[in-house]
């Protein structure tokens, strides 16, 4: 990343999610990118700390969870996950749902919930929906429609913008100071900046020249 400073660690995001969940009284839905295994684990920890059971809802996130468990990357206790089909019968204050649809996708569970069309889960007063992701440019209108639908149903919402969103998501890309630190560890002789748009490539080049003036740029 061309941004200055250091990227917020995932452990800090996990602590922020846990604090938000601990302060909620009804059902909590957390939405993020479906492949984000570490964020799913953050929800596992938040559920444990708040006496809730975690439900993963959304085909892609369910597949990510299954693969994570199979490969030993997602440590779960026996019976820790709440099956999707048992959501409606569970006490709202005893469940935490990791749900797909953070970018306002029309067919995703979160959008169906916002429209009142989902057969397995609904939200209302006392419930809270939390975005643990950023809005990818171009998705703002779809996300806004989902947020409005949830609010119309009486749910509280922390969208991916505004002061309440602080600390609930972090980039998967290292910021400039982290890149410089990594370069100082590796001490490469040659570097080929390849990832990103021209603005990122130029920023990478300039950071390399400032950090390792002896490096050969290819």
């Amino acid at each position: 990343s061309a941004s200055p400073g250091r990227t917020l660690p995932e452990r800090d995001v996990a602590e922020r999610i846990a604090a938000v969940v601990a302060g909620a009284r009804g059902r909590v839905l957390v939405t993020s990118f479906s492949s984000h295994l570490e964020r799913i684990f953050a929800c596992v920890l938040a559920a444990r700390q708040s006496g809730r059971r975690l439900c993963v809802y959304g085909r892609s996130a369910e597949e990510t969870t299954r693969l994570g468990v199979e490969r030993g990357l997602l440590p779960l206790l026996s019976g820790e996950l709440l099956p999707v089909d048992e959501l409606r019968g569970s006490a709202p204050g005893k469940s935490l749902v990791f749900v797909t649809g953070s970018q306002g996708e029309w067919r995703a569970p979160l959008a169906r919930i916002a429209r009142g069309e989902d057969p397995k889960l609904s939200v209302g007063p006392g419930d809270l929906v939390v975005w643990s992701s950023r809005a990818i440019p171009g998705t703002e209108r779809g996300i806004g429609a989902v947020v409005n639908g949830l609010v119309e149903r009486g749910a509280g919402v922390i969208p991916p913008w505004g002061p309440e969103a602080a600390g609930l998501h972090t980039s998967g890309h290292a910021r400039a100071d982290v890149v410089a630190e990594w370069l100082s560890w590796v001490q490469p002789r040659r570097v080929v900046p390849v990832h990103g748009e021209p603005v990122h490539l130029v920023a990478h080049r300039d950071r390399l020249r400032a950090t390792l003036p002896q490096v050969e740029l290819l």
Side-chain angles (χ1 to χ4, degrees), residues 16 45 61 67 90 98 107 109 116 148 153 159 164 167 170 187 218:
R16 174 85 169 103
L45 297 177
L67 292 171
S90 65
F98 182 95
R107 294 184 178 182
N148 283 328
R153 299 189 179 283
E164 285 188 290
T170 186
Q187 290 291 318
L218 301 177

Side-chain angles (χ1 to χ4, degrees), residues 46-140:
R48 289 174 182 171
Q49 294 173 28
S50 59
R52 298 171 181 258
R53 290 181 72 191
L54 176 67
C55 175
V56 178
Y57 189 17
R59 185 173 58 184
S60 53
E62 291 170 36
E63 180 69 2
T64 296
T65 301
R66 182 187 68 80
L67 292 171
V69 171
E70 283 184 2
R71 287 158 174 73
L73 300 173
L74 186 62
L76 294 176
L77 304 175
S78 177
E80 189 165 22
L81 284 181
L82 176 68
V84 174
D85 292 336
E86 296 180 17
L87 263 177
R88 282 196 176 273
S90 65
K94 293 296 182 180
S95 63
L96 168 62
V97 186
F98 182 95
V99 60
T100 58
S102 66
Q103 302 306 305
E105 299 94 333
W106 178 261
R107 294 184 178 182
L110 188 59
R112 296 198 305 265
I113 293 166
R115 298 194 301 268
E117 299 174 356
D118 191 83
K120 298 180 178 179
L121 182 60
S122 60
V123 295
D127 296 331
L128 176 64
V129 183
V130 179
W131 259 259
S132 183
S133 65
R134 72 181 187 94
I136 296 174
T139 64
E140 295 88 352

Side-chain angles (χ1 to χ4, degrees), residues 19-42:
V20 169
V21 174
R25 59 185 180 87
R27 200 183 312 274
V28 181
L29 282 64
V30 174
T31 185
S32 188
F33 301 107
S34 60
S35 60
H36 204 323
L37 190 63
E38 193 161 3
R39 200 63 53 81
I40 294 174
F41 185 56

Side-chain angles (χ1 to χ4, degrees), residues 136-156:
I136 296 174
T139 64
E140 295 88 352
R141 181 174 295 183
I143 294 174
V146 173
V147 169
N148 283 328
L150 296 167
V151 170
E152 287 173 349
R153 299 189 179 283

